[in-house]
Amino acid sequence: MFIAFFEALKAAGVPVSVREYLTLMEAMDRDVAGRQVDAFYYLARASLVKDERHLDRFDQVFGRCFKGLESALGEEGHSIPEDWLRKLTEKHLTEEEKAQIEALGGLDKLLETLKKRLEEQKGRHQGGSKWIGTGGTSPFGAYGYNPEGVRIGQDGNRNFRAVKVWDKREFKDLDDTVELGTRNIKVALRRLRKFARIGAAEELDLDGTIRETARQGWLDVRLRPERRNAVKVLLFLDVGGSMDWHVAQVEELFSAARAEFKHLEHFYFHNCVYEGVWKSNARRATERIPLFDVLHTYPHDYKLIFVGDASMSPYEITYANGSVEHNNAEPGKVWLERLTTTYPKAAWLNPVPEPHWSYTESIRLMRHLMEGRMFPLTVEGIDAAMRELT
């Protein structure tokens, strides 16, 4: 079983060695992981993966090789009892029934009511319209429906109506080594080029060598710095939630950008930029980078590119404490304005088809904040964005 796992990793392009495999086997002999699948997963990942760019491939191979095994670990530390959130039935309503359900009337009212429900509720509820539970029309719980609610204990998006999510959410880094299905994205990105010879003189200057040899009368080898694209780019990538539908598109763009721009810095965010961004989704809870540090580290000549579907609750953009995941002291639009003021050459690439933008309030709002500089994530859209940045 373990040899098949090792061979599958090599076949998937994860650079694992025999030494690393033997290290894993030694750890298993010493019962480091016990009998818990989660513990074995982290042990295998720590032993076999040397570069976090390969984590996504490792996860795919692990899932195929050990499909069907369940973890013995349980979630601990939730203040809401698990049995309150147990899924028995899901609520499926018609559009007419959904239209009859009213929201509580704003984020502040929603959070105030949730606090009150936590103080009052004593047991599990299902199918209701008031208490924290499942399969109902209450604003609080899982597997039901409400125009604006707090999602608690649900394994993923269903109606895309939650304005807060009370769960630990795990995202994955984008793979910047994925093979592109087309070269057109690279061609479009090449519009954003400004060549300069910078750095150490390591490239043979053939014309200069011939000229100086002829003038001097002996061989005079001349070197020059390599000619490189001097454009500098800050790439902000939206991950998780509704962006899961667009991962393949964004990975192609990410790979092309890696190849085209020598000076590229990327950061992740979820839905809207706030006071902190991160480089690795695996460590986003522990290694956040203050956005002020980004603003004070990279000079104004960097080009700013956002990649995201801009599909979220409008509260996340316009309200303090409006983030779906945490309590933000300032609205998202304040941080967006700081970024676009510091880096005036900015554009937003949106994977949602452009004809659908007018149906989503947050997309219209984000497009307004970007002063119209939102472009579809297509070859034509990328080409137009690059023209805007130049």
Side-chain angles (χ1 to χ4, degrees), residues 5 9 14 16 20 24 37-52 54-60 62 66 170-173 280-283:
F5 177 47
L9 286 173
V14 180
V16 293
E20 292 160 348
L24 174 62
V37 177
D38 279 5
F40 170 67
Y41 163 78
Y42 288 114
L43 173 63
R45 194 175 75 173
S47 302
L48 302 176
V49 181
K50 298 184 286 290
D51 191 321
E52 57 191 39
H54 302 128
L55 289 176
D56 187 50
R57 298 182 200 175
F58 175 86
D59 287 350
Q60 293 173 11
F62 189 92
F66 301 104
E170 300 288 350
F171 304 147
K172 291 183 179 180
D173 291 348
S280 168
N281 283 302
R283 297 193 290 270

Side-chain angles (χ1 to χ4, degrees), residues 249 309 311 350-361 363-364 367 374-378 380-381:
Q249 264 184 295
D309 60 4
S311 300
N350 194 330
V352 174
E354 189 171 4
H356 300 169
W357 290 359
S358 60
Y359 301 127
T360 304
E361 183 179 351
I363 296 180
R364 296 198 304 269
R367 191 179 187 185
M374 181 178 285
F375 304 90
L377 187 51
T378 61
E380 294 78 9

Side-chain angles (χ1 to χ4, degrees), residues 279-380:
K279 284 276 194 179
S280 168
N281 283 302
R283 297 193 290 270
R284 71 186 184 109
T286 57
E287 295 184 9
R288 288 198 178 231
I289 303 169
L291 196 55
F292 273 130
D293 287 359
V294 176
L295 295 170
H296 295 154
T297 299
Y298 303 99
H300 304 305
D301 59 343
Y302 269 78
K303 314 291 187 183
L304 178 62
I305 302 176
F306 294 99
V307 182
D309 60 4
S311 300
M312 68 197 88
S313 165
Y315 298 133
E316 299 191 57
I317 304 172
T318 58
Y319 270 60
N321 297 326
S323 167
V324 72
E325 292 192 305
H326 76 292
N327 292 327
N328 49 299
E330 295 180 294
K333 68 177 183 179
V334 172
W335 292 102
L336 186 71
E337 289 167 356
R338 285 175 179 147
L339 278 167
T340 54
T341 300
T342 304
Y343 308 105
K345 294 291 185 180
W348 188 295
L349 293 172
N350 194 330
V352 174
E354 189 171 4
H356 300 169
W357 290 359
S358 60
Y359 301 127
T360 304
E361 183 179 351
S362 59
I363 296 180
R364 296 198 304 269
L365 181 56
M366 195 66 76
R367 191 179 187 185
H368 173 73
L369 292 171
M370 289 296 298
E371 299 178 347
R373 294 172 295 177
M374 181 178 285
F375 304 90
L377 187 51
T378 61
V379 173
E380 294 78 9

Side-chain angles (χ1 to χ4, degrees), residues 86-140:
R86 188 180 302 116
K87 175 185 173 183
L88 297 179
T89 59
E90 292 190 29
K91 194 75 167 180
H92 297 284
L93 303 174
T94 65
E95 293 301 320
E96 292 76 13
E97 290 172 328
K98 289 179 179 179
Q100 296 174 6
I101 302 172
E102 296 183 359
L104 277 179
L107 181 64
D108 294 338
K109 179 67 174 177
L110 189 68
L111 296 178
E112 178 184 342
T113 306
L114 174 59
K115 182 179 179 181
K116 184 178 179 181
R117 295 287 184 271
L118 287 170
E119 293 172 350
E120 296 175 348
Q121 186 165 341
K122 303 302 180 184
R124 184 184 183 280
H125 286 266
Q126 177 188 338
S129 60
K130 176 180 178 181
W131 300 107
I132 302 169
T134 57
T137 57
S138 167
F140 315 112

Side-chain angles (χ1 to χ4, degrees), residues 112-340:
E112 178 184 342
T113 306
L114 174 59
K115 182 179 179 181
K116 184 178 179 181
R117 295 287 184 271
L118 287 170
E119 293 172 350
E120 296 175 348
Q121 186 165 341
K122 303 302 180 184
R124 184 184 183 280
H125 286 266
Q126 177 188 338
S129 60
K130 176 180 178 181
W131 300 107
I132 302 169
T134 57
T137 57
S138 167
F140 315 112
Y143 305 106
Y145 175 82
N146 192 279
E148 291 183 353
V150 178
R151 195 175 83 212
I152 307 171
Q154 186 171 300
D155 56 9
N157 287 313
R158 293 174 68 251
N159 297 299
F160 296 93
R161 291 289 184 175
V163 298
K164 285 281 188 182
V165 177
W166 189 335
D167 287 305
K168 181 181 180 183
R169 310 175 79 192
E170 300 288 350
F171 304 147
K172 291 183 179 180
D173 291 348
L174 297 175
D175 188 348
D176 62 351
T177 61
V178 65
E179 288 295 325
L180 297 181
T182 174
R183 289 180 52 83
N184 291 342
I185 295 178
K186 284 188 176 182
V187 172
L189 289 174
R190 284 174 187 168
R191 291 197 177 277
L192 190 60
R193 278 183 166 183
K194 181 180 179 182
F195 285 107
R197 296 193 180 276
I198 55 177
E202 298 175 342
E203 181 183 85
L204 175 65
D205 182 358
L206 184 58
D207 291 340
T209 298
I210 294 173
R211 183 177 59 252
E212 291 303 313
T213 298
R215 188 174 69 84
Q216 300 282 3
W218 62 79
L219 180 61
D220 189 356
V221 177
R222 293 285 171 162
L223 300 176
R224 63 187 179 182
E226 184 180 353
R227 185 170 177 261
R228 294 174 176 173
N229 186 2
V231 168
K232 294 176 285 188
V233 175
L234 291 178
L235 185 63
F236 283 77
L237 299 160
D238 183 8
V239 291
S242 55
M243 280 300 293
D244 289 346
W245 298 344
H246 310 294
V247 165
Q249 264 184 295
V250 178
E251 281 188 336
E252 288 188 355
L253 174 69
F254 194 19
S255 296
R258 281 287 199 193
E260 290 301 318
F261 302 122
K262 180 71 175 178
H263 306 285
L264 173 70
E265 296 291 340
H266 77 279
F267 302 94
Y268 293 109
F269 68 97
H270 180 56
N271 285 354
C272 189
V273 287
Y274 296 108
E275 65 278 3
V277 291
W278 55 94
K279 284 276 194 179
S280 168
N281 283 302
R283 297 193 290 270
R284 71 186 184 109
T286 57
E287 295 184 9
R288 288 198 178 231
I289 303 169
L291 196 55
F292 273 130
D293 287 359
V294 176
L295 295 170
H296 295 154
T297 299
Y298 303 99
H300 304 305
D301 59 343
Y302 269 78
K303 314 291 187 183
L304 178 62
I305 302 176
F306 294 99
V307 182
D309 60 4
S311 300
M312 68 197 88
S313 165
Y315 298 133
E316 299 191 57
I317 304 172
T318 58
Y319 270 60
N321 297 326
S323 167
V324 72
E325 292 192 305
H326 76 292
N327 292 327
N328 49 299
E330 295 180 294
K333 68 177 183 179
V334 172
W335 292 102
L336 186 71
E337 289 167 356
R338 285 175 179 147
L339 278 167
T340 54

